[in-house]
Amino acid sequence: MKTNLTIRVDKNDKEIAAAILKHLGLDLSSAINMYLRQIIMKGGIPFMIELEMNEETKQACEDAEKGTNLSKPYKSFKELMKDIDEGKDIFND
């Protein structure tokens, strides 16, 4: 039994993905069906989802965990991230 799936995606992303899939001999519908089957087979997202951090970001995270090189001490990484999200300068000048 088949059903319809309606999703909203960025127009440019859709066009680029469709062009790539065409070169692979696939259409969007086939690719989405493959993705859904992989989710079922793997019991989750079939690839790693992670943030890629540059060295400066890695160092800032380490500093935050240690409580060093900050404009004030933070009780948690979450508290630091809140200040970053609010645009506060967290580094000593």
Side-chain angles (χ1 to χ4, degrees), residues 1-84:
M1 174 186 224
K2 298 279 184 179
T3 187
N4 288 325
L5 172 67
T6 303
I7 59 173
R8 296 181 62 84
V9 297
D10 180 83
K11 182 180 180 182
N12 193 47
D13 290 348
K14 178 185 173 190
E15 291 171 357
I16 293 169
I20 292 168
L21 291 169
K22 184 177 181 181
H23 285 288
L24 296 172
L26 296 167
D27 59 18
L28 281 171
S29 183
S30 297
I32 296 297
N33 278 304
M34 290 170 60
Y35 176 65
L36 294 175
R37 287 187 199 109
Q38 284 294 307
I39 290 172
I40 293 165
M41 289 171 58
K42 303 284 184 180
I45 303 293
F47 49 83
M48 293 293 297
I49 300 174
E50 55 190 40
L51 295 174
E52 185 175 324
M53 290 192 265
N54 61 30
E55 288 304 314
E56 184 179 358
T57 303
K58 287 178 188 175
Q59 185 61 52
C61 289
E62 289 174 17
D63 287 347
E65 289 173 0
K66 294 175 189 172
T68 58
N69 296 323
L70 303 172
S71 60
K72 70 175 192 178
Y74 289 90
K75 296 177 185 166
S76 67
F77 187 72
K78 186 176 182 178
E79 183 183 345
L80 168 68
M81 292 307 295
K82 181 179 178 214
D83 275 1
I84 291 172

